[in-house]
Amino acid sequence: MYLTMDNCISAARHLLPELNIEYTRQFLEDSILSHPEHPSLLCISDTLEEYKINNLAVKIDSDKLEEAPLPCIVQLSDSGGMFHVLKHFSSGVAVFLDEKGKSITLSTQDFSKRWTGICLLAETTEESKEPGIEKKLYQKRISNIFKWTIGIFLLLWIGLSISSFSLVDNSGSIFFGGYLLLKLIGLSAGFMLLWYEVDKYNPTLQSICSGGKKINCDSVLNSKYAKLFNGQLSLGLIGFAYFFGTLFYLLFMGFSDVSLVPMAYLSFLTLPAIIISLYYQGLILKQWCKFCIIVQAVLLIEIVLAYFGNFHHGQISYNALPLLVVLIMLPIPIWKWLKPLLEGKKEKNLYKRGLKKIKNNPDVLLGLLAKTRKIEKSTEGLGIAFENKTARYNIVKVCNPYCGPCANAHPVLEELVKKGKINLQILFTARANKNDIRSKTVAHFLAIEAQGDRQRTQQALDDWYLADDKDYEAFSNKYPMNGELEKQEEKIKRMSAWCEAEKITHTPTIFVNGHELPKEYNVEDLKDVLE
């Protein structure tokens, strides 16, 4: 099930707001579910690293927990080793969030008995945020504005239509208002049923469709009685089509008396469906679906309002009936077209996460590296080298200072260097030619590196590769040289000879531990797999 299997997601999802970090569900789930060690505390830790949140997994005694920075993630043994967010621990009281984000208060003594001693400490910095969150939030705001605009215009349309409709007495107006409200509630419930068909493990839907041993939406909606015409029509689609068609029929007909007559008879015709549904859920399946109960309650109250509101008294306008039939039938082909697209997108995300989980496994990368071509000629003394004592991987990057993909690869590899994950050696494909702008730029890089200031060399490469415009004059003015450029000619010749010997045909060409990076991987993948 979603809520138990993806406890790592729920723990991270509850922790980020406590740390005042905005996030998107898609990025968070992709980061955790694609981790090769999911489910584990490590996948949560590495996901927090994606948000640039400093974190540390420790095992400590409860008497030291008061000194730990909160909130943090703790593991409780009595919940099957699940992770929870601890918000408060002092003065004999411990407060943590359960799977659904509800605050649970225990005495520190009771909490200590349930706690395994494992916790993940987290601390934010000024740089802590989700990558690209500004753009994502902007797109979300635009989407919300679009949705609210549609909703407001729909409500205005309903309001104007109601204002043009008059009934004989106030009691009639009450019946009609209630009937219209029921249509809106029923349409919402129908939408939730359709949503359930393509995303039944969604936390929002799961939180609604839970509440006891007898509540099981999945059992009801996937039963034989919920599928008609060999599964071509579902109860959710039928319910949504009914409420959609009848509501918009009332709107198009201006809520006239003529439009209420067929609505009343349609409401009466739903009575057998209500009885059959209650019979199957209560006596055959012995399970209940909350969404189905809502729809049945709405249909039953519709019948009562239609009868006591005398909606069925009057003449039926047969000329308008085709419109009613079209409106009721319209959602069916649209949903038949839309549902595979939504399921395909979801399936694509699952495959994407599965593939990423495989690619993020270092053992898989090492296995593929063994089958790729190996560097034949030594790179010792060539180019620019950054070494770390803790590094497990040696990366050789062959690049061109004016290559766009090389510029994109630079910040990824630079970050791995700064974290001590890799040793990085940068080689250039330029030829020794004083009139070649590439040769001048490479000579400038090598001259800066020759001064022995690693930090200045890294900053110079950042200034060059992260700039939108590769302006050598501006770069040379920022890093002035006095005759050092001429001393780099021999170094450039050696690099050029190495590139020819190794048959370098494109940039960037990446080598990991002496083997060329497999074509299934790109530089961005290294950020995940090597960490």
Side-chain angles (χ1 to χ4, degrees), residues 133-416:
I133 187 64
E134 295 85 0
K135 182 179 180 180
K136 296 173 187 176
L137 292 178
Y138 173 76
Q139 292 173 340
K140 185 177 181 180
R141 284 193 291 268
I142 295 298
S143 177
N144 288 337
I145 290 173
F146 182 71
K147 292 176 183 177
W148 277 103
T149 301
I150 293 177
I152 291 172
F153 274 106
L154 182 60
L155 290 174
L156 287 174
W157 183 18
I158 294 174
L160 292 173
S161 300
I162 293 175
S163 66
S164 63
F165 175 71
S166 61
L167 289 169
V168 176
D169 51 42
N170 291 331
S171 62
S173 298
I174 295 173
F175 283 118
F176 173 73
Y179 193 73
L180 179 61
L181 180 61
L182 289 173
K183 292 294 182 186
L184 294 171
I185 296 173
L187 185 64
S188 301
F191 173 78
M192 298 292 275
L193 285 168
L194 293 183
W195 186 9
Y196 193 91
E197 288 186 22
V198 296
D199 193 14
K200 63 181 178 181
Y201 294 129
N202 183 279
T204 302
L205 297 178
Q206 286 288 334
S207 64
I208 297 174
C209 219
S210 60
K213 296 181 180 179
K214 294 292 185 179
I215 303 297
N216 191 332
C217 292
D218 192 57
S219 161
V220 175
L221 296 176
N222 284 321
S223 64
K224 292 182 179 179
Y225 107 92
K227 307 290 184 180
L228 303 177
F229 302 107
N230 293 323
Q232 294 301 309
L233 291 179
S234 64
L235 287 182
L237 179 55
I238 294 173
F240 181 84
Y242 168 80
F243 289 110
F244 177 90
T246 52
L247 174 62
F248 278 88
Y249 178 75
L250 290 172
L251 288 172
F252 284 127
M253 295 298 291
F255 300 97
S256 63
D257 291 317
V258 175
S259 66
L260 288 175
V261 178
M263 294 297 96
Y265 285 110
L266 272 180
S267 295
F268 298 152
L269 289 174
T270 62
L271 183 59
I274 298 173
I275 296 173
I276 293 172
S277 179
L278 293 173
Y279 171 78
Y280 268 93
Q281 289 185 80
L283 299 179
I284 304 299
L285 300 176
K286 296 181 180 179
Q287 298 283 342
W288 296 92
C289 168
K290 283 187 177 181
F291 298 121
C292 300
I293 294 173
I294 293 173
V295 171
Q296 291 154 14
V298 168
L299 293 174
L300 189 60
I301 300 173
E302 269 193 7
I303 294 172
V304 174
L305 291 180
Y307 180 78
F308 288 102
N310 295 321
F311 294 169
H312 57 295
H313 291 169
Q315 296 293 324
I316 296 178
S317 174
Y318 293 99
N319 293 333
L321 289 182
L323 174 62
L324 176 59
V325 174
V326 169
L327 289 173
I328 291 177
M329 298 295 293
L330 183 61
I332 297 176
I334 293 177
W335 180 244
K336 289 293 182 181
W337 167 77
L338 187 60
K339 183 180 178 182
L341 296 179
L342 296 175
E343 290 178 331
K345 181 180 179 182
K346 182 182 177 183
E347 189 174 353
K348 180 181 177 181
N349 285 335
L350 292 175
Y351 281 126
K352 179 182 175 183
R353 290 168 181 168
L355 175 61
K356 191 174 180 182
K357 189 170 186 176
I358 294 173
K359 291 176 70 175
N360 286 355
N361 190 325
D363 294 334
V364 174
L365 174 61
L366 293 176
L368 292 175
L369 283 171
K371 298 179 180 181
T372 62
R373 69 162 171 156
K374 186 178 180 181
I375 292 177
E376 299 294 337
K377 194 173 181 180
S378 174
T379 61
E380 186 177 356
L382 298 179
I384 299 174
F386 301 103
E387 296 184 355
N388 292 296
K389 294 181 180 179
T390 59
R392 296 174 54 194
Y393 303 94
N394 298 312
I395 305 291
V396 174
K397 173 192 176 187
V398 185
C399 61
N400 177 339
Y402 292 89
C403 164
C406 295
N408 294 333
H410 174 79
V412 177
L413 298 176
E414 182 71 11
E415 184 177 349
L416 290 171

Side-chain angles (χ1 to χ4, degrees), residues 86-104:
L86 181 65
K87 297 176 59 178
H88 177 79
F89 187 88
S90 64
S91 305
V93 175
V95 181
F96 67 93
L97 302 178
D98 67 6
E99 277 272 277
K100 296 180 180 179
K102 180 181 177 182
S103 291
I104 305 295

Side-chain angles (χ1 to χ4, degrees), residues 59-69 89 115:
K59 187 170 184 177
I60 57 177
D61 297 327
S62 58
D63 57 345
K64 295 182 179 179
L65 193 54
E66 289 190 26
E67 303 173 7
F89 187 88
W115 180 41

Side-chain angles (χ1 to χ4, degrees), residues 101-139:
K102 180 181 177 182
S103 291
I104 305 295
T105 302
L106 296 175
S107 67
T108 54
Q109 184 177 5
D110 289 340
F111 176 83
S112 298
K113 292 178 181 178
R114 301 172 62 178
W115 180 41
T116 63
I118 294 174
C119 61
L120 181 66
L121 307 178
E123 186 177 19
T124 60
T125 65
E126 293 182 356
E127 297 180 350
S128 297
K129 63 178 180 179
E130 181 176 302
I133 187 64
E134 295 85 0
K135 182 179 180 180
K136 296 173 187 176
L137 292 178
Y138 173 76
Q139 292 173 340

